[in-house]
C-alpha cells in the first residue's frame, strides 16, 4: 500500500518514523541486533524518547540473510507460519565503523556513523540496501500499525515473481498485494500469491509473512522496491544468487522444493469440462474418439458434476448418471488411463458432510460460535478447518475411499475465498491464515496421495497456493478467457509463478471461459503440449478436437506425439525442478540474465535448459520473437537460425517456433503414444553442432527418479565422442546438419536431418566431415 503523498509528504492520517542511527549493537556469534532510535541522540534527555527500532540480522543458510524489524516486541505470537529449512551460519565483525554479518559470499553491513544505512554486499559490490527514510514504523489515525522497508533499485534493475501474476512480467511500476483471490486471469488479482521476488541484480527477497504483504515496486518511490505488513514486526530474507537460477535454488532450499510427480502425469489430460452434460457413455465416446484418431491420452478428469448438484462436496458419485462408479473406473483404467476427480474444500449445506462436520467442529466458525456460511458457489457453503488435525484426517478419509475405488489423483480447486471473520481450531490469526489456507488444503490431499501411492506417484491439479506450495505439484493457471489475450495472460502468469519457486505448471488448452474458435484452439494446443503439463478443459463446451475441425485433430496428434518423444529431455528438466528448484518453463531472463534484450520478454520461454518456445498468438500465424546470440536450430526442421536478433515469421497450425540452443544435446525417446516408458531404451541423442572442446552431460532419469542413464558428449576437433553410463539398451546419435566420415563403436546411416549413428557398445567415436562449426555455445545463466 502507498503511504506517501508525493515525494515530500505523507498521506492524510499517516505518520511515519525512521531509524536515524545505530545507537548500540549487540553482537552474537552468528547474528547481531541494532537498536536504532528515530531521533538523533544529542544528550541524555533524548534517551527518554521513543520509538526505538530494533533491527536483527542473522543467516539461516549460506548466501541468505534475515533482517527482522521490530517496534513493540510484546506483540502476541500467532500462526500460521511458513515452515523453513534453516541451518544458522555466519560470522560477525563489529568495529567502530560498522557491524557486519557475512554468510557465504553475502554480507549485511549496518554503519555506526551519522545517518541510517543498511547495505547488502557480495563479490566486492553493493547489491542493494536500506538508506535514509527507507525503513519505517508507520501509524495511522484509525489505529493501524505497519512496518515498512524499501530496498534500492538501480536504473537497470528489474523485479520478477510475486506469484502467478497475469500482468506484465516485469513488476517495476506495479502495486502488488499478496492476497489470494478467485479473480480469473484478467485482473490484478491472483490465485497464487507469493511474497518473494527476484531481480536481475543478483538477489531475491522473501518476506516471511503468510498474510497480506503489500509491495510497491518502483511505484511509490521510483528507485526502490517497497514492502510492508500490518503489525509490530516484519522479517525478510535477502537471497544472493548471483544468477536467477542460483537465487531460485537457494529460495527453494529455504521454502521447499517441488515433489517428483509420476511419469504418466506429463501425458495429455482430457476433461469432461465444467457445466457440460456427461455420463459414462459421453466419457466413453470421448476416449473412443481419441483412440480411433491415434491421439495419446493419459488421464481422464471428471469435473464438478461427478457429484450431485448442491451436494458439493459429499464425494459421492451422482447415481443418476453414474450408477456403477467402481465398474466404470475399472473399465477406464483397463484402457490404460489414470483417473482424476474434481474436489474443493467447501461443504454445501445439503451435503451429508455438512452436519457431520458441524457436529464435530470441523468447519470454520464465526467468533460467536456459528458455522461460517455464505451462498457464493454453493448454497449455505461452509469451509473445512484444516488447522484441525482431526478435520484433516476426516477430509482425507473421504478421499481415501475414492482411491480405493480407482481414482488416481485430485483436482484441488478453489481455496482462495477464505474469510477473515472466523475462528480457527488452532487459534491461527485469520489474516495470516487467508493465503496459508491453500497450503494446508493442498498439503492434506498431496500427503494422502503420497502415503497411498508412494513417493513420486502423488500429483494434484491445484489452483491456489502461496510460498512453499510448490512442494505439492501440479498447479494450473485458473479460469482464463478463450481468447489470444487470455492465452497471453496465462503464459505471463506461468512464467511469473516459475520465478516464484514453482517448478511445474499447466493451463486450460483453448481457454476456460467461452468456446475458442478453431484457430485459437489449434494455436493453444502447441503451447499446451510444450508446457510441463497439458490439459484439455473448458467451462460450457467440450474440448475434444474433432468438435472444432479435422485439422485440430491433426495438430493435437502432432504436438502430443512430439511431447511423448521429448519425454527423456522433459524428464531431465523435471529432475532440475524437484532437485534444484528450477522451473521447467523459464522466462528468458532466467537463462540469459546478461542479455538486456531478455529482461522484458514475456511471449516466449525456455522449456528446460535448451529449448526455446515462442507460442503463436495470432490466427494468421504471424509473430516475432527474440533469439539470443549464437546459431540456433529449429527442432522441427533442423533449419539454422542466426541469433542475437528479433525474428519475424509466419507459421502454419502444424508448427510453432521451437529452437534448440547452440551446442545442445536433446535426447529423444523411441515411444510417442505414452509418457511413462523406459526413457533410455532406444533413445536418440540429437547433437547440435557442439563447439570444439565442448563437453555436454545428458542425464535421463529412470522410473524411480534416482536411477539414471548418463551420456557424455564431447568434441575434440573433428572427433565427437559419446559415452554411455548406466543401462541404456539400444541407443543412437543423430548429428544434426552434419556428415560423418568414420565411426568406431557403431554404424552410421544417412538421415534427412544429418547423420544417424547406431551404437553397438557403450561408447561412440565419430569423425565429422570437414572442419565443422566452431561457434561457441551460449553460456547458461550460471555459466555452467
Amino acid at each position: 500500500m502507498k503511504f506517501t503523498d508525493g515525494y515530500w509528504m505523507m498521506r492524510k492520517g499517516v505518520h511515519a518514523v525512521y531509524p536515524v542511527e545505530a545507537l548500540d549493537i549487540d553482537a552474537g556469534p552468528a547474528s547481531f541486533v541494532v537498536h536504532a532510535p528515530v531521533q538523533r541522540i544529542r544528550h541524555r534527555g533524548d534517551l527518554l524518547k521513543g520509538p526505538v527500532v530494533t533491527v536483527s540480522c542473522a543467516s539461516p543458510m549460506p548466501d541468505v540473510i534475515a533482517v527482522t524489524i521490530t517496534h513493540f516486541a510484546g506483540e502476541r505470537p500467532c500462526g500460521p507460519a511458513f515452515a523453513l529449512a534453516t541451518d544458522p551460519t555466519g560470522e560477525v565483525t563489529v568495529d567502530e565503523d560498522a557491524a557486519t554479518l557475512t554468510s557465504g559470499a553475502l554480507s549485511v553491513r549496518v554503519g555506526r556513523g551519522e545517518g541510517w544505512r543498511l547495505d547488502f554486499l557480495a563479490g566486492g559490490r553493493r547489491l542493494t540496501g536500506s538508506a535514509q527514510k527507507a525503513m519505517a514504523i508507520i501509524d495511522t489515525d484509525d489505529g493501524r500499525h505497519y512496518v515498512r522497508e524499501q530496498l534500492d533499485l538501480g536504473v537497470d534493475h528489474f523485479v520478477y515473481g510475486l506469484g502467478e501474476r497475469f500482468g506484465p512480467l516485469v513488476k517495476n511500476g506495479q502495486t502488488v498485494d499478496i492476497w489470494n483471490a478467485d479473480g480469473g486471469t484478467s485482473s490484478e488479482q491472483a490465485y497464487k500469491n507469493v511474497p518473494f521476488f527476484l531481480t536481475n541484480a543478483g538477489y531475491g527477497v522473501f518476506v516471511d509473512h503468510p498474510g497480506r504483504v503489500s509491495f510497491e515496486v518502483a511505484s511509490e518511490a521510483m528507485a526502490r522496491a517497497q514492502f510492508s505488513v500490518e503489525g509490530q514486526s516484519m522479517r525478510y530474507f535477502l537471497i544472493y544468487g548471483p544468477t536467477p537460477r542460483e537465487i531460485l535454488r537457494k529460495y527453494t532450499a529455504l521454502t521447499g522444493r517441488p515433489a517428483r510427480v509420476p511419469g504418466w502425469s506429463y501425458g495429455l489430460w482430457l476433461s469432461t469440462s465444467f457445466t457440460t452434460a456427461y455420463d459414462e457413455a459421453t466419457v466413453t465416446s470421448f476416449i473412443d474418439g481419441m483412440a480411433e484418431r491415434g491421439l495419446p491420452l493419459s488421464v481422464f478428469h471428471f469435473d464438478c458434476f461427478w457429484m450431485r448438484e448442491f451436494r458439493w462436496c459429499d464425494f459421492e458419485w451422482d447415481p443418476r448418471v453414474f450408477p456403477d462408479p467402481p465398474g466404470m473406473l475399472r473399465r477406464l483404467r483397463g484402457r490404460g488411463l489414470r483417473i482424476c476427480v474434481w474436489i474443493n474444500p467447501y461443504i454445501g449445506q445439503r451435503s451429508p458432510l455438512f452436519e457431520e462436520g458441524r457436529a464435530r467442529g470441523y468447519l470454520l466458525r464465526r467468533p460467536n460460535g456459528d458455522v461460517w456460511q455464505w451462498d457464493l458457489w454453493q448454497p449455505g457453503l461452509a469451509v473445512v478447518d484444516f488447522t484441525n488435525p482431526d478435520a484433516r484426517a476426516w477430509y482425507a478419509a473421504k478421499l481415501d475411499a475414492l482411491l480405493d475405488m480407482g481414482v488416481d489423483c485430485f483436482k484441488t480447486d478453489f481455496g482462495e475465498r477464505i474469510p477473515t471473520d472466523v475462528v480457527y481450531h488452532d487459534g491461527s490469526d485469520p489474516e495470516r491464515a487467508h493465503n496459508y489456507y491453500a497450503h494446508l488444503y493442498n498439503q492434506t490431499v498431496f500427503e494422502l496421495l503420497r502415503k497411498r501411492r508412494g513417493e513420486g506417484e502423488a500429483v494434484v491439479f491445484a489452483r491456489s497456493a502461496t510460498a512453499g506450495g510448490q512442494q505439492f505439484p501440479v498447479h494450473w493457471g485458473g479460469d482464463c478467457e478463450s481468447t489470444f489475450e487470455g492465452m497471453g495472460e496465462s503464459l505471463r502468469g506461468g512464467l511469473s509463478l516459475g520465478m516464484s519457486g514453482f517448478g511445474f505448471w499447466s493451463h486450460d488448452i483453448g481457454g476456460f471461459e467461452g468456446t475458442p474458435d478453431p484457430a485459437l484452439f489449434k494455436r493453444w494446443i502447441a503451447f499446451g503440449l510444450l508446457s510441463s503439463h497439458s490439459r484439455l478443459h473448458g467451462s460450457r463446451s467440450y474440448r475434444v478436437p474433432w468438435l472444432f475441425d479435422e485439422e485440430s485433430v491433426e495438430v493435437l496428434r502432432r504436438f502430443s506425439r512430439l511431447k511423448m518423444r521429448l519425454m527423456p529431455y522433459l524428464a531431465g528438466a523435471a529432475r532440475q525442478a524437484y532437485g534444484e528448484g528450477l522451473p521447467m518453463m523459464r522466462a528468458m531472463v532466467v537463462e540469459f540474465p546478461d542479455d538486456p534484450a531478455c529482461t522484458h520478454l514475456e511471449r516466449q520461454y525456455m522449456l528446460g535448459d535448451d529449448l526455446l518456445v515462442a507460442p503463436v498468438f495470432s490466427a494468421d500465424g504471424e509473430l516475432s520473437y527474440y533469439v539470443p546470440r549464437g546459431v540456433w536450430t529449429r527442432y522441427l526442421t533442423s533449419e539454422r537460425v542466426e541469433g542475437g536478433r528479433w525474428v519475424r515469421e509466419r507459421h502454419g497450425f502444424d508448427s510453432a517456433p521451437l529452437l534448440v540452443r547452440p551446442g545442445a544435446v536433446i535426447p529423444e525417446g523411441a515411444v510417442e503414444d505414452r509418457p511413462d516408458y523406459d526413457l533410455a531404451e532406444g533413445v536418440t541423442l540429437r547433437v547440435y553442432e557442439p563447439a570444439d572442446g565442448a563437453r555436454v552431460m545428458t542425464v535421463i532419469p529412470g522410473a524411480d527418479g534416482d536411477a539414471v542413464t548418463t551420456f557424455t558428449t564431447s568434441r575434440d576437433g573433428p572427433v565427437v565422442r559419446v559415452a554411455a553410463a548406466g543401462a541404456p539398451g539400444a541407443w543412437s546419435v543423430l548429428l544434426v546438419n552434419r556428415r560423418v566420415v568414420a565411426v568406431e563403436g557403431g554404424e552410421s546411416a544417412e538421415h534427412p536431418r544429418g547423420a544417424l549413428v547406431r551404437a553397438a557398445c557403450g561408447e561412440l567415436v565419430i569423425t565429422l566431415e570437414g572442419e565443422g562449426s566452431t561457434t561457441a555455445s551460449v553460456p547458461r545463466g550460471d555459466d555452467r
Side-chain angles (χ1 to χ4, degrees):
M1 63 183 294
K2 290 183 170 68
F3 298 103
T4 58
D5 178 9
Y7 182 73
W8 292 281
M9 301 174 63
M10 301 301 292
R11 294 192 172 192
K12 186 177 181 180
V14 176
H15 315 281
V17 293
Y18 317 94
V20 298
E21 66 174 318
L23 181 64
D24 59 67
I25 299 170
D26 297 331
S31 64
F32 64 79
V33 178
V34 179
H35 301 98
V38 301
Q39 68 281 319
R40 181 73 55 206
I41 304 300
R42 299 160 298 176
H43 48 72
R44 286 190 169 183
D46 291 334
L47 296 171
L48 307 179
K49 304 174 183 177
V52 169
V53 182
T54 304
V55 181
S56 305
C57 296
S59 175
M61 62 179 58
D63 293 334
V64 180
I65 287 176
V67 176
T68 305
I69 307 165
T70 303
H71 180 206
F72 292 148
E75 189 175 36
R76 178 180 63 88
C78 55
F82 293 123
L84 305 178
T86 62
D87 184 13
T89 184
E91 181 179 340
V92 174
T93 60
V94 180
D95 56 32
E96 61 183 13
D97 296 322
T100 302
L101 167 64
T102 298
S103 172
L106 177 66
S107 297
V108 62
R109 181 181 187 275
V110 175
R112 284 183 176 274
E114 292 188 4
W116 172 258
R117 189 171 184 87
L118 182 151
D119 296 307
F120 294 99
L121 308 108
R125 66 185 180 92
R126 181 178 184 270
L127 297 173
T128 185
S130 175
Q132 187 177 16
K133 290 191 173 182
M135 187 182 294
I137 303 298
I138 297 173
D139 291 300
T140 65
D141 285 351
D142 60 358
R144 304 176 89 94
H145 191 89
Y146 300 87
V147 179
R148 185 198 76 185
E149 177 67 296
Q150 294 175 333
L151 298 178
D152 298 337
L153 286 176
V155 174
D156 58 349
H157 293 178
F158 300 102
V159 171
Y160 308 89
L162 298 176
E164 179 189 48
R165 316 220 74 84
F166 306 105
L169 183 68
V170 173
K171 300 305 182 287
N172 297 49
Q174 297 184 39
T175 296
V176 176
D177 284 332
I178 302 300
W179 192 253
N180 285 1
D182 179 3
T185 68
S186 301
S187 75
E188 81 285 356
Q189 294 182 358
Y191 305 103
K192 309 169 191 67
N193 289 264
V194 180
F196 165 76
F197 66 80
L198 63 79
T199 73
N200 65 337
Y203 67 93
V205 173
F206 170 52
V207 181
D208 185 18
H209 183 84
R212 186 188 297 274
V213 184
S214 184
F215 288 86
E216 298 288 344
V217 186
S219 53
E220 180 163 23
M222 296 299 102
R224 293 176 177 176
Q226 170 179 305
F227 41 95
S228 60
V229 302
E230 186 170 2
Q232 298 287 345
S233 181
M234 176 176 69
R235 179 167 72 162
Y236 69 91
F237 296 86
L238 191 128
I239 303 166
Y240 175 59
T243 66
R245 291 169 65 114
E246 284 298 322
I247 296 167
L248 287 170
R249 285 185 180 117
K250 294 165 188 175
Y251 167 71
T252 55
L254 181 68
T255 60
R257 298 255 167 85
R260 178 169 56 89
V261 296
W264 53 261
S265 73
Y266 297 98
L268 184 61
W269 299 48
L270 175 62
S271 165
T272 59
S273 291
F274 171 30
T275 59
T276 51
Y278 58 88
D279 54 16
E280 184 177 355
T282 310
V283 171
T284 302
S285 72
F286 289 166
I287 295 169
D288 287 342
M290 298 289 283
E292 290 164 1
R293 293 167 174 84
L295 300 172
L297 185 63
S298 294
V299 183
F300 193 85
H301 168 70
F302 291 86
D303 217 55
C304 313
F305 283 94
W306 70 274
M307 291 180 280
R308 191 165 181 167
E309 70 276 4
F310 296 133
R311 301 191 182 203
W312 304 340
C313 290
D314 64 0
F315 307 114
E316 297 287 342
W317 293 84
D318 184 346
R320 298 169 303 179
V321 288
F322 299 111
D324 179 23
M328 178 184 66
L329 298 185
R330 189 165 53 249
R331 289 185 284 275
L332 294 178
R333 289 174 59 86
R335 303 184 66 167
L337 294 173
R338 303 289 181 151
I339 307 301
C340 176
V341 296
W342 173 95
I343 61 171
N344 70 33
Y346 309 144
I347 308 295
Q349 187 166 289
R350 287 189 62 185
S351 167
L353 272 62
F354 176 85
E355 180 55 31
E356 193 175 321
R358 184 201 65 77
R360 298 182 183 182
Y362 293 165
L363 307 175
L364 289 182
R365 295 183 179 272
R366 298 185 185 275
N368 68 356
D370 294 344
V371 172
W372 187 96
Q373 292 180 263
W374 68 354
D375 288 324
L376 189 61
W377 179 243
Q378 285 281 280
L381 173 154
V383 181
V384 177
D385 183 353
F386 286 108
T387 71
N388 184 338
D390 292 337
R392 293 180 71 162
W394 169 74
Y395 188 88
K398 305 299 181 183
L399 304 183
D400 207 12
L402 291 166
L403 298 181
D404 287 338
M405 191 180 294
V407 170
D408 294 283
C409 58
F410 300 99
K411 172 184 171 181
T412 48
D413 205 355
F414 290 86
E416 304 92 3
R417 289 191 177 126
I418 303 304
T420 55
D421 55 337
V422 291
V423 175
Y424 281 88
H425 171 82
D426 72 346
S428 285
D429 175 76
E431 185 268 342
R432 293 174 64 95
H434 173 85
N435 296 335
Y436 199 74
Y437 184 91
H439 186 90
L440 296 175
Y441 165 38
N442 284 298
Q443 182 183 48
T444 299
V445 179
F446 197 89
E447 287 184 346
L448 167 67
L449 288 165
R450 181 152 47 194
K451 177 182 176 182
R452 286 294 308 272
R453 299 295 188 235
E455 194 68 39
E457 286 298 316
V459 64
V460 296
F461 227 79
R463 191 174 76 173
S464 57
T466 188
Q470 67 267 11
Q471 298 171 85
F472 317 120
V474 169
H475 295 81
W476 104 98
D479 299 348
C480 50
E481 299 284 337
S482 294
T483 63
F484 281 112
E485 291 76 16
M487 184 175 161
E489 292 161 0
S490 294
L491 176 55
R492 292 194 297 269
L495 295 181
S496 186
L497 189 68
M499 299 179 89
S500 306
F502 286 69
F504 305 100
W505 176 78
S506 188
H507 46 96
D508 293 341
I509 295 174
F512 177 77
E513 292 289 351
T515 299
D517 62 36
L520 172 64
F521 183 64
K522 286 176 280 196
R523 296 299 183 196
W524 211 315
I525 285 173
F527 170 38
L529 270 299
L530 291 170
S531 299
S532 94
H533 286 75
S534 311
R535 185 178 72 160
L536 293 165
H537 178 66
S539 178
R540 297 183 299 275
S541 55
Y542 304 123
R543 290 291 182 269
V544 287
W546 53 90
L547 296 182
F548 295 89
D549 59 22
E550 282 306 309
E551 189 177 31
S552 295
V553 175
E554 298 295 330
V555 172
L556 183 59
R557 183 186 299 114
R558 176 172 175 78
F559 283 100
S560 57
R561 289 180 176 270
L562 170 65
K563 185 177 186 182
M564 299 306 95
R565 294 196 306 273
L566 282 172
M567 275 308 302
Y569 171 78
L570 295 175
R575 191 167 181 261
Q576 290 180 312
Y578 61 76
E580 304 177 56
L582 301 179
M584 290 186 68
M585 301 170 68
R586 305 168 193 169
M588 297 296 292
V589 71
V590 173
E591 285 295 318
F592 304 97
D594 297 325
D595 188 339
C598 291
T599 56
H600 286 73
L601 295 182
E602 58 188 24
R603 299 195 306 272
Q604 61 187 82
Y605 56 94
M606 294 296 293
L607 181 59
D609 287 341
D610 294 317
L611 289 179
L612 186 158
V613 181
V616 180
F617 294 99
S618 65
D620 63 10
E622 284 196 6
L623 82 161
S624 61
Y625 59 96
Y626 176 75
V627 182
R629 66 182 176 87
V631 179
W632 295 63
T633 308
R634 298 189 189 281
Y635 191 84
L636 299 177
T637 67
S638 297
E639 175 190 1
R640 295 181 176 95
V641 179
E642 184 67 45
R645 64 190 179 97
W646 283 84
V647 175
R648 179 174 291 276
E649 57 197 27
R650 183 190 294 265
H651 284 258
F653 290 116
D654 64 345
S655 178
L658 178 62
L659 274 61
V660 182
R661 197 173 192 157
V665 176
I666 306 293
E668 184 176 272
V671 176
E672 59 177 18
D673 62 352
R674 61 184 304 117
D676 47 343
Y677 57 93
D678 184 341
L679 302 178
E681 175 63 37
V683 70
T684 298
L685 304 179
R686 295 172 62 140
V687 179
Y688 290 86
E689 306 182 53
D692 194 2
R695 186 175 184 272
V696 179
M697 183 172 290
T698 305
V699 177
I700 301 177
D704 61 1
D706 295 322
V708 298
T709 300
T710 302
F711 295 92
T712 303
T713 304
S714 59
R715 179 179 172 189
D716 182 10
V719 177
V720 173
R721 285 181 169 83
V722 185
W731 59 285
S732 303
V733 171
L734 176 60
L735 295 131
V736 179
N737 293 328
R738 300 311 309 268
R739 292 188 177 184
V740 170
V741 296
V743 174
E744 297 177 26
E747 295 181 352
S748 67
E750 290 188 6
H751 188 278
R753 302 290 174 81
L756 181 66
V757 181
R758 292 183 174 86
C761 59
E763 183 175 16
L764 288 172
V765 180
I766 305 166
T767 303
L768 302 177
E769 181 181 81
E771 291 289 327
S773 170
T774 57
T775 302
S777 299
V778 179
R780 291 174 170 79
D782 56 0
D783 296 321
R784 292 185 297 132

